[in-house]
Amino acid sequence: QKAVRFLVNAGEITRLGEDVLLLTETVNMLRIRVKTFLKIHGKATSPQLRDEIGASRKFLIPLLEQFDEEGVTQRDGDWRILKP
């Protein structure tokens, strides 16, 4: 737990919810991919984004919730759109 806390504080890993940790570099790359997909398609469902980035639902939902919280995306029913 100390090592995880250290890496989170150092910005090396990002905590997504209680159970999901990803390298911050990976989160940044996935943010770009999601934004690019949404710029091209306008909106997307979670399954479409899951297929686009190749992540399981376990990782995708906390990731999308993080992007919503950051103001990158916005949930609109079953759809995700880029936040204006």
Coordinates of all heavy atoms in Angstrom, one line a residue:
Q1 N 0.8 -1.2 0.0 CA 0.0 0.0 0.0 C 0.9 1.3 0.0 O 0.5 2.2 -0.6 CB -1.0 0.0 1.2 CG -2.0 -1.0 1.1 CD -3.0 -0.9 -0.1 OE1 -3.0 0.2 -0.7 NE2 -3.7 -1.9 -0.4
K2 N 2.0 1.2 0.7 CA 2.9 2.4 0.7 C 3.4 2.7 -0.7 O 3.5 3.8 -1.1 CB 4.1 2.1 1.7 CG 3.7 2.4 3.1 CD 5.0 2.2 3.9 CE 4.8 2.6 5.4 NZ 6.0 2.5 6.2
A3 N 3.8 1.6 -1.4 CA 4.3 1.8 -2.7 C 3.3 2.4 -3.6 O 3.6 3.3 -4.4 CB 4.9 0.4 -3.3
V4 N 2.1 1.9 -3.5 CA 1.0 2.4 -4.4 C 0.7 3.9 -4.1 O 0.6 4.7 -5.0 CB -0.3 1.6 -4.2 CG1 -1.5 2.3 -4.8 CG2 -0.1 0.2 -4.7
R5 N 0.7 4.2 -2.8 CA 0.5 5.6 -2.4 C 1.6 6.5 -2.9 O 1.3 7.6 -3.4 CB 0.4 5.7 -0.9 CG -0.3 6.9 -0.4 CD -0.6 6.9 1.1 NE -0.9 5.6 1.6 CZ -0.3 4.9 2.6 NH1 0.7 5.4 3.2 NH2 -0.7 3.7 3.0
F6 N 2.8 6.0 -2.8 CA 4.0 6.8 -3.3 C 3.8 7.0 -4.8 O 4.0 8.1 -5.3 CB 5.3 6.0 -3.0 CG 6.5 6.7 -3.6 CD1 7.1 7.8 -3.0 CD2 7.0 6.2 -4.8 CE1 8.2 8.4 -3.6 CE2 8.1 6.8 -5.4 CZ 8.7 7.9 -4.8
L7 N 3.5 6.0 -5.6 CA 3.4 6.1 -7.0 C 2.2 7.0 -7.5 O 2.3 7.7 -8.4 CB 3.3 4.7 -7.7 CG 4.5 3.9 -7.6 CD1 4.3 2.4 -8.0 CD2 5.7 4.5 -8.4
V8 N 1.1 6.9 -6.7 CA 0.0 7.8 -7.0 C 0.4 9.2 -6.7 O 0.2 10.1 -7.5 CB -1.3 7.4 -6.2 CG1 -2.3 8.5 -6.2 CG2 -1.8 6.1 -6.6
N9 N 1.0 9.5 -5.6 CA 1.5 10.8 -5.2 C 2.5 11.4 -6.2 O 2.6 12.6 -6.4 CB 2.0 10.9 -3.8 CG 0.9 10.7 -2.8 OD1 -0.3 11.0 -3.0 ND2 1.3 10.2 -1.6
A10 N 3.3 10.5 -6.7 CA 4.3 10.9 -7.7 C 3.8 11.1 -9.1 O 4.5 11.6 -10.0 CB 5.5 9.8 -7.7
G11 N 2.5 10.7 -9.3 CA 1.9 10.9 -10.6 C 2.2 9.8 -11.6 O 1.9 9.9 -12.8
E12 N 2.8 8.7 -11.1 CA 3.2 7.6 -12.0 C 2.0 6.7 -12.3 O 1.9 6.1 -13.4 CB 4.3 6.8 -11.4 CG 5.6 7.5 -11.3 CD 6.2 7.9 -12.6 OE1 6.2 7.1 -13.5 OE2 6.7 9.0 -12.7
I13 N 1.1 6.5 -11.3 CA -0.1 5.7 -11.6 C -1.3 6.6 -11.2 O -1.2 7.5 -10.4 CB -0.1 4.4 -10.8 CG1 0.0 4.6 -9.3 CG2 1.0 3.5 -11.3 CD1 -0.1 3.3 -8.5
T14 N -2.4 6.2 -11.8 CA -3.7 6.9 -11.5 C -4.7 5.9 -10.9 O -4.8 4.8 -11.5 CB -4.3 7.5 -12.9 OG1 -3.3 8.4 -13.4 CG2 -5.6 8.1 -12.6
R15 N -5.3 6.3 -9.9 CA -6.3 5.4 -9.2 C -7.6 5.7 -9.8 O -8.1 6.9 -9.8 CB -6.3 5.6 -7.7 CG -7.3 4.7 -7.0 CD -7.3 5.0 -5.5 NE -6.0 4.8 -4.8 CZ -5.6 3.6 -4.4 NH1 -6.4 2.5 -4.6 NH2 -4.4 3.4 -3.8
L16 N -8.3 4.7 -10.4 CA -9.6 4.9 -10.9 C -10.6 4.1 -10.1 O -10.7 2.9 -10.2 CB -9.7 4.4 -12.4 CG -8.7 5.0 -13.4 CD1 -8.7 4.3 -14.7 CD2 -9.0 6.5 -13.5
G17 N -11.2 4.7 -9.1 CA -12.1 4.0 -8.2 C -11.3 3.3 -7.2 O -10.1 3.5 -7.0
E18 N -11.9 2.3 -6.5 CA -11.3 1.6 -5.4 C -10.3 0.5 -5.9 O -9.3 0.3 -5.3 CB -12.3 0.9 -4.6 CG -13.2 1.9 -3.8 CD -12.4 2.6 -2.7 OE1 -11.6 1.9 -2.0 OE2 -12.5 3.8 -2.5
D19 N -10.7 -0.1 -7.0 CA -9.9 -1.3 -7.4 C -9.1 -1.2 -8.7 O -8.4 -2.2 -9.0 CB -11.0 -2.5 -7.7 CG -11.8 -2.8 -6.5 OD1 -11.3 -2.6 -5.3 OD2 -12.9 -3.2 -6.6
V20 N -9.1 -0.1 -9.3 CA -8.4 0.0 -10.6 C -7.2 1.0 -10.5 O -7.4 2.2 -10.2 CB -9.3 0.4 -11.7 CG1 -8.6 0.5 -13.1 CG2 -10.5 -0.6 -11.8
L21 N -6.0 0.5 -10.9 CA -4.9 1.4 -11.0 C -4.3 1.2 -12.4 O -4.2 0.1 -12.9 CB -3.8 0.9 -10.0 CG -4.1 1.0 -8.5 CD1 -3.1 0.3 -7.7 CD2 -4.2 2.4 -8.1
L22 N -4.0 2.3 -13.0 CA -3.4 2.3 -14.4 C -2.2 3.3 -14.4 O -2.2 4.3 -13.6 CB -4.4 2.7 -15.4 CG -5.5 1.8 -15.8 CD1 -6.4 2.5 -16.8 CD2 -5.0 0.5 -16.3
L23 N -1.2 3.0 -15.2 CA -0.1 3.9 -15.4 C -0.7 5.2 -15.9 O -1.6 5.2 -16.8 CB 0.9 3.4 -16.4 CG 1.7 2.2 -16.0 CD1 2.5 1.7 -17.2 CD2 2.7 2.6 -14.9
T24 N -0.3 6.3 -15.4 CA -0.8 7.6 -15.8 C -0.5 7.8 -17.3 O -1.4 8.4 -18.0 CB -0.1 8.7 -15.0 OG1 -0.5 8.5 -13.6 CG2 -0.6 10.1 -15.4
E25 N 0.6 7.4 -17.8 CA 0.9 7.5 -19.2 C -0.2 6.7 -20.1 O -0.6 7.2 -21.1 CB 2.3 6.8 -19.5 CG 2.7 6.9 -20.9 CD 4.1 6.3 -21.1 OE1 4.9 6.4 -20.2 OE2 4.4 5.8 -22.2
T26 N -0.6 5.6 -19.6 CA -1.7 4.8 -20.3 C -3.0 5.6 -20.2 O -3.7 5.7 -21.2 CB -1.9 3.5 -19.6 OG1 -0.6 2.8 -19.7 CG2 -3.0 2.7 -20.3
V27 N -3.3 6.2 -19.1 CA -4.6 7.0 -19.0 C -4.5 8.2 -19.9 O -5.5 8.4 -20.6 CB -4.8 7.5 -17.5 CG1 -6.0 8.4 -17.4 CG2 -5.0 6.3 -16.6
N28 N -3.4 8.8 -20.0 CA -3.2 9.9 -21.0 C -3.4 9.5 -22.4 O -4.0 10.2 -23.2 CB -1.9 10.6 -20.8 CG -1.7 11.3 -19.4 OD1 -2.7 11.6 -18.8 ND2 -0.5 11.5 -19.0
M29 N -2.8 8.4 -22.8 CA -3.0 7.8 -24.1 C -4.4 7.5 -24.4 O -5.0 7.8 -25.5 CB -2.1 6.6 -24.3 CG -2.2 6.0 -25.7 SD -1.7 4.3 -25.8 CE -2.8 3.5 -24.7
L30 N -5.1 6.9 -23.4 CA -6.5 6.5 -23.6 C -7.4 7.7 -23.7 O -8.4 7.7 -24.5 CB -7.0 5.5 -22.5 CG -6.3 4.2 -22.5 CD1 -6.7 3.4 -21.3 CD2 -6.6 3.4 -23.8
R31 N -7.1 8.8 -23.0 CA -7.8 10.0 -23.1 C -7.8 10.6 -24.5 O -8.8 11.0 -25.1 CB -7.3 11.0 -22.1 CG -8.1 12.3 -22.0 CD -7.5 13.4 -21.1 NE -7.4 12.9 -19.7 CZ -6.3 12.5 -19.1 NH1 -5.1 12.5 -19.7 NH2 -6.4 12.1 -17.8
I32 N -6.6 10.5 -25.1 CA -6.5 11.0 -26.5 C -7.3 10.2 -27.4 O -8.0 10.7 -28.3 CB -5.0 11.1 -26.9 CG1 -4.3 12.2 -26.1 CG2 -4.8 11.3 -28.4 CD1 -2.7 12.1 -26.1
R33 N -7.2 8.8 -27.3 CA -8.0 7.9 -28.2 C -9.5 8.1 -28.0 O -10.2 8.2 -29.0 CB -7.6 6.5 -27.9 CG -6.2 6.2 -28.4 CD -5.8 4.8 -28.3 NE -6.6 3.9 -29.2 CZ -6.6 2.6 -29.1 NH1 -5.8 2.0 -28.3 NH2 -7.4 1.9 -29.9
V34 N -10.0 8.3 -26.8 CA -11.4 8.5 -26.6 C -11.8 9.9 -27.2 O -12.8 9.9 -27.9 CB -11.8 8.4 -25.1 CG1 -13.2 9.0 -24.9 CG2 -11.6 7.0 -24.6
K35 N -11.0 10.9 -27.0 CA -11.3 12.2 -27.5 C -11.3 12.2 -29.1 O -12.2 12.7 -29.7 CB -10.3 13.3 -27.0 CG -10.6 13.7 -25.6 CD -9.5 14.6 -25.1 CE -9.5 15.9 -25.7 NZ -8.5 16.9 -25.1
T36 N -10.4 11.5 -29.6 CA -10.3 11.4 -31.1 C -11.5 10.7 -31.7 O -12.1 11.1 -32.6 CB -9.0 10.7 -31.5 OG1 -7.9 11.5 -31.0 CG2 -8.9 10.6 -33.0
F37 N -11.9 9.6 -31.0 CA -13.0 8.8 -31.5 C -14.3 9.6 -31.4 O -15.1 9.7 -32.3 CB -13.2 7.5 -30.6 CG -14.2 6.6 -31.1 CD1 -14.0 5.6 -32.0 CD2 -15.5 6.7 -30.6 CE1 -14.9 4.7 -32.5 CE2 -16.5 5.8 -31.0 CZ -16.2 4.9 -32.0
L38 N -14.5 10.4 -30.3 CA -15.7 11.2 -30.2 C -15.7 12.4 -31.1 O -16.7 12.8 -31.6 CB -15.8 11.6 -28.7 CG -16.1 10.5 -27.7 CD1 -16.1 11.0 -26.3 CD2 -17.4 9.9 -28.0
K39 N -14.5 12.9 -31.4 CA -14.4 14.0 -32.4 C -14.9 13.5 -33.8 O -15.6 14.2 -34.5 CB -13.0 14.6 -32.5 CG -12.7 15.5 -31.3 CD -11.2 16.0 -31.5 CE -10.9 16.8 -30.2 NZ -9.5 17.3 -30.3
I40 N -14.5 12.3 -34.1 CA -14.9 11.8 -35.4 C -16.3 11.3 -35.5 O -17.0 11.6 -36.4 CB -13.9 10.5 -35.7 CG1 -12.5 11.0 -36.0 CG2 -14.5 9.8 -37.0 CD1 -11.5 9.9 -36.0
H41 N -16.8 10.7 -34.4 CA -18.1 10.0 -34.4 C -19.2 10.9 -33.7 O -20.4 10.5 -33.8 CB -18.1 8.6 -33.8 CG -17.2 7.7 -34.6 ND1 -17.5 7.1 -35.8 CD2 -15.9 7.3 -34.3 CE1 -16.5 6.4 -36.2 NE2 -15.5 6.5 -35.4
G42 N -18.8 11.9 -32.9 CA -19.8 12.7 -32.3 C -20.2 12.2 -30.9 O -20.3 12.9 -30.0
K43 N -20.5 10.9 -30.9 CA -20.9 10.2 -29.6 C -20.6 8.8 -29.7 O -20.4 8.2 -30.8 CB -22.4 10.5 -29.4 CG -23.3 9.9 -30.4 CD -24.8 10.2 -30.1 CE -25.7 9.7 -31.2 NZ -27.1 9.9 -30.9
A44 N -20.6 8.1 -28.6 CA -20.3 6.7 -28.5 C -20.9 6.0 -27.3 O -21.1 6.7 -26.3 CB -18.8 6.4 -28.6
T45 N -21.3 4.8 -27.4 CA -21.7 4.0 -26.3 C -20.5 3.4 -25.6 O -19.4 3.3 -26.2 CB -22.6 2.8 -26.7 OG1 -21.9 2.0 -27.6 CG2 -23.9 3.4 -27.4
S46 N -20.6 2.9 -24.4 CA -19.5 2.3 -23.7 C -19.0 1.1 -24.5 O -17.8 0.9 -24.6 CB -20.0 1.8 -22.3 OG -20.3 2.9 -21.5
P47 N -19.9 0.2 -25.0 CA -19.3 -0.9 -25.8 C -18.5 -0.4 -27.0 O -17.5 -1.1 -27.4 CB -20.6 -1.7 -26.3 CG -21.6 -1.4 -25.2 CD -21.3 0.0 -24.8
Q48 N -18.9 0.6 -27.7 CA -18.1 1.1 -28.8 C -16.7 1.6 -28.3 O -15.7 1.3 -29.0 CB -18.9 2.3 -29.5 CG -20.1 1.9 -30.3 CD -20.9 3.1 -30.8 OE1 -21.1 4.0 -30.0 NE2 -21.3 3.0 -32.0
L49 N -16.7 2.3 -27.2 CA -15.4 2.8 -26.7 C -14.6 1.6 -26.2 O -13.4 1.6 -26.3 CB -15.7 3.8 -25.6 CG -16.2 5.2 -26.1 CD1 -16.6 6.1 -24.9 CD2 -15.2 5.9 -27.0
R50 N -15.2 0.6 -25.6 CA -14.5 -0.6 -25.1 C -13.8 -1.2 -26.3 O -12.6 -1.6 -26.2 CB -15.5 -1.6 -24.5 CG -14.8 -2.8 -24.0 CD -15.8 -3.9 -23.6 NE -16.5 -4.3 -24.8 CZ -17.8 -4.6 -24.9 NH1 -18.6 -4.5 -23.9 NH2 -18.3 -4.9 -26.1
D51 N -14.5 -1.4 -27.4 CA -13.9 -2.0 -28.6 C -12.8 -1.1 -29.2 O -11.8 -1.6 -29.7 CB -15.0 -2.2 -29.7 CG -16.0 -3.3 -29.3 OD1 -15.7 -4.0 -28.3 OD2 -17.1 -3.3 -30.0
E52 N -13.0 0.2 -29.1 CA -12.0 1.2 -29.7 C -10.7 1.1 -28.9 O -9.6 1.1 -29.5 CB -12.6 2.6 -29.7 CG -11.6 3.7 -30.1 CD -11.1 3.6 -31.5 OE1 -11.8 2.9 -32.3 OE2 -10.1 4.1 -31.8
I53 N -10.8 1.0 -27.6 CA -9.5 1.1 -26.8 C -9.1 -0.3 -26.4 O -8.0 -0.4 -25.8 CB -9.6 2.1 -25.6 CG1 -10.6 1.6 -24.6 CG2 -9.9 3.5 -26.1 CD1 -10.6 2.5 -23.4
G54 N -9.9 -1.3 -26.6 CA -9.5 -2.7 -26.2 C -9.4 -2.9 -24.7 O -8.5 -3.7 -24.3
A55 N -10.3 -2.3 -24.0 CA -10.3 -2.5 -22.5 C -11.5 -3.3 -22.1 O -12.6 -3.2 -22.7 CB -10.3 -1.1 -21.8
S56 N -11.4 -4.0 -21.0 CA -12.5 -4.7 -20.5 C -13.4 -3.7 -19.8 O -13.0 -2.6 -19.4 CB -12.1 -5.7 -19.5 OG -11.6 -5.1 -18.3
R57 N -14.6 -4.1 -19.5 CA -15.6 -3.2 -18.8 C -15.1 -2.8 -17.4 O -15.3 -1.7 -17.0 CB -17.0 -3.9 -18.8 CG -18.1 -3.1 -18.2 CD -19.4 -3.7 -18.4 NE -20.4 -3.0 -17.6 CZ -21.0 -1.9 -18.0 NH1 -20.6 -1.3 -19.2 NH2 -21.9 -1.3 -17.3
K58 N -14.4 -3.7 -16.8 CA -13.9 -3.5 -15.5 C -13.0 -2.2 -15.4 O -13.0 -1.5 -14.5 CB -13.0 -4.7 -15.0 CG -12.3 -4.4 -13.7 CD -11.5 -5.6 -13.3 CE -10.7 -5.3 -12.0 NZ -9.9 -6.4 -11.5
F59 N -12.2 -2.0 -16.5 CA -11.3 -0.8 -16.6 C -12.0 0.3 -17.3 O -11.8 1.5 -17.0 CB -10.0 -1.2 -17.4 CG -9.2 -2.2 -16.6 CD1 -9.2 -3.5 -16.9 CD2 -8.4 -1.7 -15.6 CE1 -8.4 -4.4 -16.2 CE2 -7.6 -2.6 -14.8 CZ -7.6 -3.9 -15.2
L60 N -12.9 0.0 -18.3 CA -13.5 1.1 -19.1 C -14.4 2.0 -18.3 O -14.3 3.2 -18.4 CB -14.3 0.5 -20.2 CG -15.0 1.5 -21.1 CD1 -14.0 2.3 -21.9 CD2 -16.1 0.9 -21.9
I61 N -15.3 1.5 -17.5 CA -16.3 2.3 -16.8 C -15.6 3.3 -15.8 O -15.9 4.5 -15.8 CB -17.3 1.4 -16.1 CG1 -18.1 0.6 -17.1 CG2 -18.3 2.3 -15.2 CD1 -18.8 1.5 -18.3
P62 N -14.6 2.8 -14.9 CA -13.9 3.8 -14.1 C -13.2 4.8 -14.9 O -13.1 6.0 -14.5 CB -13.0 2.9 -13.2 CG -13.6 1.5 -13.3 CD -14.3 1.4 -14.6
L63 N -12.6 4.4 -16.0 CA -11.9 5.3 -16.9 C -12.8 6.4 -17.4 O -12.5 7.6 -17.3 CB -11.2 4.6 -18.0 CG -10.3 5.4 -19.0 CD1 -9.1 5.9 -18.3 CD2 -10.0 4.6 -20.2
L64 N -13.9 6.0 -17.9 CA -14.9 7.0 -18.5 C -15.4 7.9 -17.4 O -15.7 9.1 -17.6 CB -16.0 6.3 -19.2 CG -15.6 5.5 -20.5 CD1 -16.8 4.8 -21.1 CD2 -15.0 6.5 -21.5
E65 N -15.7 7.3 -16.2 CA -16.1 8.1 -15.1 C -15.0 9.2 -14.7 O -15.4 10.3 -14.4 CB -16.5 7.3 -13.9 CG -17.7 6.5 -14.1 CD -18.0 5.4 -13.0 OE1 -17.2 5.2 -12.2 OE2 -19.2 4.9 -13.1
Q66 N -13.8 8.8 -14.8 CA -12.7 9.7 -14.5 C -12.7 10.8 -15.6 O -12.6 12.0 -15.2 CB -11.3 9.0 -14.6 CG -10.1 9.9 -14.4 CD -10.0 10.5 -13.1 OE1 -10.4 9.9 -12.1 NE2 -9.4 11.7 -13.0
F67 N -12.9 10.5 -16.8 CA -12.9 11.5 -17.9 C -14.1 12.4 -17.7 O -14.0 13.6 -18.0 CB -13.0 10.8 -19.3 CG -11.7 10.1 -19.6 CD1 -11.7 9.2 -20.7 CD2 -10.5 10.3 -19.0 CE1 -10.5 8.5 -21.0 CE2 -9.3 9.6 -19.3 CZ -9.4 8.7 -20.3
D68 N -15.3 11.9 -17.3 CA -16.4 12.7 -17.0 C -16.1 13.7 -15.9 O -16.4 14.9 -16.0 CB -17.6 11.9 -16.5 CG -18.2 11.0 -17.6 OD1 -17.9 11.2 -18.8 OD2 -19.0 10.1 -17.3
E69 N -15.4 13.2 -14.8 CA -15.1 14.0 -13.7 C -14.1 15.1 -14.1 O -14.2 16.3 -13.6 CB -14.5 13.2 -12.6 CG -14.3 13.8 -11.3 CD -13.8 12.9 -10.2 OE1 -14.5 11.8 -10.0 OE2 -12.8 13.2 -9.6
E70 N -13.2 14.8 -15.0 CA -12.2 15.8 -15.5 C -12.8 16.8 -16.4 O -12.2 17.8 -16.7 CB -11.1 15.1 -16.3 CG -10.2 14.2 -15.4 CD -9.2 13.4 -16.3 OE1 -9.2 13.6 -17.6 OE2 -8.5 12.6 -15.7
G71 N -14.0 16.6 -16.9 CA -14.7 17.5 -17.8 C -14.3 17.2 -19.3 O -14.5 18.1 -20.1
V72 N -13.7 16.1 -19.5 CA -13.3 15.7 -20.9 C -14.6 15.2 -21.7 O -14.8 15.6 -22.8 CB -12.2 14.6 -20.9 CG1 -12.0 14.1 -22.3 CG2 -11.0 15.2 -20.3
T73 N -15.3 14.3 -21.0 CA -16.5 13.7 -21.6 C -17.7 14.0 -20.7 O -17.6 14.4 -19.6 CB -16.4 12.2 -21.8 OG1 -16.1 11.6 -20.5 CG2 -15.3 11.8 -22.7
Q74 N -18.9 13.7 -21.2 CA -20.1 13.8 -20.5 C -21.0 12.7 -20.9 O -21.2 12.3 -22.0 CB -20.8 15.2 -20.9 CG -22.1 15.5 -20.3 CD -22.5 16.9 -20.7 OE1 -21.7 17.8 -20.9 NE2 -23.8 17.0 -20.9
R75 N -21.7 12.1 -19.9 CA -22.6 11.0 -20.1 C -24.0 11.6 -20.4 O -24.4 12.5 -19.8 CB -22.7 10.1 -18.9 CG -23.5 8.9 -19.2 CD -23.4 7.9 -18.0 NE -24.3 6.8 -18.3 CZ -24.7 5.9 -17.5 NH1 -24.2 6.0 -16.2 NH2 -25.5 4.9 -17.8
D76 N -24.6 11.1 -21.5 CA -25.9 11.5 -21.9 C -26.7 10.2 -22.2 O -26.7 9.7 -23.3 CB -25.8 12.3 -23.2 CG -27.2 12.9 -23.6 OD1 -28.1 12.8 -22.8 OD2 -27.2 13.4 -24.8
G77 N -27.3 9.7 -21.1 CA -28.0 8.4 -21.2 C -27.0 7.3 -21.5 O -26.1 7.1 -20.7
D78 N -27.2 6.6 -22.6 CA -26.2 5.5 -22.9 C -25.0 6.0 -23.7 O -24.1 5.2 -24.0 CB -26.9 4.4 -23.7 CG -27.9 3.6 -22.9 OD1 -27.8 3.6 -21.6 OD2 -28.8 3.0 -23.5
W79 N -25.0 7.2 -24.0 CA -23.9 7.8 -24.8 C -22.9 8.6 -24.0 O -23.2 9.2 -23.0 CB -24.6 8.7 -25.9 CG -25.5 8.0 -26.8 CD1 -26.9 8.0 -26.6 CD2 -25.2 7.3 -27.9 NE1 -27.4 7.2 -27.6 CE2 -26.5 6.8 -28.4 CE3 -24.1 7.0 -28.6 CZ2 -26.5 6.0 -29.6 CZ3 -24.1 6.2 -29.8 CH2 -25.4 5.7 -30.2
R80 N -21.7 8.7 -24.6 CA -20.7 9.6 -24.1 C -20.4 10.6 -25.2 O -20.3 10.2 -26.4 CB -19.4 8.9 -23.8 CG -19.4 8.1 -22.4 CD -19.3 9.1 -21.3 NE -19.1 8.7 -19.9 CZ -19.5 7.6 -19.3 NH1 -20.0 6.6 -19.9 NH2 -19.3 7.5 -18.0
I81 N -20.3 11.9 -24.9 CA -20.0 12.9 -25.8 C -18.8 13.7 -25.2 O -18.6 13.7 -24.0 CB -21.2 13.8 -26.1 CG1 -21.7 14.5 -24.8 CG2 -22.3 13.1 -26.8 CD1 -22.8 15.5 -25.0
L82 N -18.2 14.5 -26.1 CA -17.1 15.4 -25.6 C -17.8 16.5 -24.9 O -18.9 17.0 -25.4 CB -16.3 15.9 -26.8 CG -15.2 15.0 -27.3 CD1 -14.6 15.7 -28.5 CD2 -14.2 14.7 -26.3
K83 N -17.3 16.9 -23.8 CA -17.9 18.0 -23.1 C -17.5 19.3 -23.8 O -16.3 19.5 -24.1 CB -17.5 18.0 -21.6 CG -18.2 19.0 -20.8 CD -18.2 18.6 -19.3 CE -19.1 19.6 -18.6 NZ -19.2 19.3 -17.2
P84 N -18.5 20.2 -24.0 CA -18.2 21.4 -24.7 C -17.2 22.3 -23.9 O -17.2 22.3 -22.7 CB -19.5 22.1 -24.9 CG -20.6 21.2 -24.4 CD -19.9 20.1 -23.7

